[in-house]
Amino acid sequence: MRRSARPARAATRLLVAPRLRLAPRTETGVDADADTVTETDTRLRVDWCLEGATPHTLSDTSPPEAWQALTRLATSHPVTLLLAADAVSHFHLAAPRGLKRREWPLLLETVTSDAVDQLHLHPLQRGRGHLELIALPRAELAAWRAWAQRLGLAPAGWSCAFLALPQPAAPDQITTLDDGSHRLCLGLAAPAAPGAPETRQWLAWPRDWPLPPAWRERDCQVVDGAIDTDAHGDTRQPRQRNDEHGDGERDDNERHDGGEAAAEQARRRSLTWLAAQPPAALPFADDRGARWPGISWQPQRRTRWLAGSIALLALLDASLWLATTWRAEAAAGQQQAAALAARFVGPPPVDAQAALATRADAIDALARRNRQLSEALATATAQLAATPWQLSRLAVTGTRASLTWRYPEPPAPVVVNRARQALATLGEAQWQPGPGELSLALTLSANALETSP
């Protein structure tokens, strides 16, 4: 019989998408009647979908049979845990040449206020002079994996919807996907370093908010082929909020219900599109454990004795083989070492010491700038400690640093003025009423970026 040359099709992946940003924690309780300690998972709302199938939603009110059906599917399909778009962070930065993996957190200290040593970092692109990373807290990723394993899903990897978005053709274009809670946008910016490709930008924006002006002015390509439009059919304009009509409480409630229905439709539509072309599955922080947790096998006593005997015989055979070949291998190793040493006769390269010194100076300069920025951030945080201002963005370009705060609700003018006066001692403080942001521009000293002689 002739075997077909067509390669076998990869197994259809099962996408499991929790709706929470943070993983649920295990609750511990005591059964007084049985005098035992029990652990129960906090059930949450979960969507799952297979390629060519209709998305399904599970919650704490779903019957146990529905959850069991999902577990059965996980035994025959590789599971990808699709985390919420705002649960991960994305960075595409300039990176010194020769930067080691353990030194990646140094790059992030200037662009995030998270504890960089606690982040799980996965590289998406790595080239000369630039580095693109996806990051989230290492403990949070482990908590999501533990939650999925307790349900019997045994995920093969994790991902997010951003990884499925196609790259736009030009910087004046963006690709977007509405996942029901956020509008996910992928755009391009100037290269992070000379000779590097264009920088990729991710934006997870609440679907009911207007896009920032810099994104709203670009041509929008909707990947799933459907998105809410305004009265003029412009997909780039934000949806109108319920509280901006002013037609009465009853009308507001009706519009709110319609908004929830539209969000559910967008959620299901995005999952159908993602299942047809699933994003890349990324490995967990530690993927060396068993593929099927909860399954154990205890061999019988005779089987254990037989296995031990086989192992002992294999060890004896290996010892005999090593004894007979040790001398030949030692002689061959000496010959190879002599041949290798002969190739490197002479002084070391002239520029080796200079290259090492340049790299060390670049790392020292980066650390000094990080320290100066950390001191300024600590001072600003102390000045705003009595108010609910929250740091939302931090960016550094050369000797210029920009910090942005948001208020939980539209602040009164007096609140804004007090905050600006408190930050004026550090740099240039400005209030931007459009996006509702209080920004502070800092000028870092020039010597913080100079390399030491």
Side-chain angles (χ1 to χ4, degrees):
M1 180 180 292
R2 203 174 164 186
R3 182 174 297 178
S4 174
R6 179 181 299 176
R9 183 183 179 186
T12 303
R13 275 201 277 163
L14 173 61
L15 295 183
V16 178
R19 297 202 182 188
L20 288 183
R21 181 177 179 270
L22 302 178
R25 307 304 178 187
T26 302
E27 296 180 353
T28 304
V30 179
D31 189 346
D33 298 334
D35 194 19
T36 59
V37 177
T38 60
E39 292 186 351
T40 58
D41 251 342
T42 302
R43 288 285 177 88
L44 65 146
R45 203 165 185 182
V46 176
D47 299 294
W48 64 267
C49 187
L50 283 170
E51 180 181 358
T54 303
H56 297 268
T57 302
L58 298 177
S59 64
D60 54 353
T61 59
S62 299
E65 294 79 8
W67 290 93
Q68 294 170 4
L70 175 60
T71 305
R72 287 194 298 270
L73 280 175
T75 61
S76 57
H77 297 82
V79 178
T80 298
L81 194 60
L82 191 67
L83 301 185
D86 58 344
V88 300
S89 299
H90 172 260
F91 307 97
H92 199 166
L93 307 168
R97 186 177 179 179
L99 190 70
K100 304 297 183 183
R101 186 183 184 97
R102 63 178 179 272
E103 297 169 344
W104 290 355
L106 282 175
L107 293 176
L108 305 183
E109 289 184 351
T110 61
V111 293
T112 180
S113 57
D114 295 331
V116 295
D117 57 333
Q118 302 297 324
L119 292 178
H120 170 72
L121 304 178
H122 182 85
L124 300 180
Q125 285 190 73
R126 187 180 183 186
R128 177 173 298 185
H130 75 102
L131 178 64
E132 183 181 13
L133 299 171
I134 182 173
L136 76 162
R138 190 179 301 113
E140 194 61 35
L141 182 59
W144 273 122
R145 188 186 188 190
W147 169 84
Q149 289 177 338
R150 287 194 298 268
L151 290 180
L153 300 181
W158 65 279
S159 188
C160 65
F162 275 113
L163 296 180
L165 291 179
Q167 182 166 308
D172 59 348
Q173 299 176 355
I174 62 172
T175 55
T176 181
L177 174 69
D178 187 351
D179 69 355
S181 61
H182 292 83
R183 181 176 294 184
L184 313 184
C185 300
L186 175 62
L188 299 177
E198 293 174 311
T199 300
R200 294 199 295 183
Q201 296 177 324
W202 291 10
L203 177 67
W205 201 254
R207 67 191 306 266
D208 291 330
W209 290 12
L211 288 176
W215 292 78
R216 196 184 315 162
E217 296 171 356
R218 306 186 195 181
D219 293 332
C220 178
Q221 176 189 359
V222 183
V223 295
D224 62 351
I227 197 170
D228 292 346
T229 59
D230 60 4
H232 300 86
D234 188 355
T235 60
R236 295 176 294 170
Q237 298 300 323
R239 299 174 179 83
Q240 193 170 15
R241 297 177 61 90
N242 295 337
D243 54 1
E244 294 177 356
H245 291 277
D247 296 333
E249 181 179 357
R250 180 178 178 182
D251 293 341
D252 286 343
N253 293 335
E254 292 177 356
R255 278 188 295 273
H256 179 67
D257 296 340
E260 291 182 352
E264 286 296 324
Q265 292 178 2
R267 175 80 172 179
R268 298 171 70 85
R269 189 167 54 241
S270 65
L271 284 175
T272 302
W273 182 83
L274 289 170
Q277 42 197 4
L282 307 180
F284 289 94
D286 185 4
D287 204 27
R288 296 172 296 177
R291 176 65 179 87
W292 304 107
I295 300 178
S296 58
W297 175 67
Q298 296 294 336
Q300 298 179 357
R301 182 177 180 180
R302 183 177 180 180
T303 305
R304 293 197 301 268
W305 179 86
L306 181 59
S309 300
I310 294 175
L312 180 59
L313 290 175
L315 180 61
L316 292 175
D317 182 69
S319 300
L320 292 175
W321 179 81
L322 289 174
T324 56
T325 59
W326 177 79
R327 290 185 179 181
E329 290 183 354
Q334 292 176 359
Q335 293 177 0
Q336 292 179 359
L340 183 62
R343 296 184 180 182
F344 293 96
V345 175
V350 179
D351 59 344
Q353 197 69 24
L356 291 176
T358 301
R359 179 169 171 268
D361 291 342
I363 294 177
D364 291 342
L366 183 60
R368 288 196 300 272
R369 184 179 67 175
N370 294 347
R371 185 164 53 253
Q372 183 180 0
L373 182 61
S374 298
E375 294 174 356
L377 178 60
T379 303
T381 302
Q383 293 176 347
L384 299 178
T387 59
W389 288 98
Q390 298 178 353
L391 184 66
S392 61
R393 186 167 60 251
L394 188 153
V396 178
T397 304
T399 60
R400 297 285 296 176
S402 176
L403 293 82
T404 303
W405 288 267
R406 285 181 174 272
Y407 211 74
E409 57 186 12
V414 64
V415 175
V416 175
N417 291 335
R418 289 176 180 174
R420 290 181 58 186
Q421 293 175 2
L423 298 177
T425 59
L426 298 176
E428 181 181 354
Q430 293 183 355
W431 168 249
Q432 302 175 5
E437 295 179 343
L438 177 64
S439 63
L440 174 64
L442 296 175
T443 301
L444 304 177
S445 59
N447 57 3
L449 300 178
E450 297 176 354
T451 57
S452 58

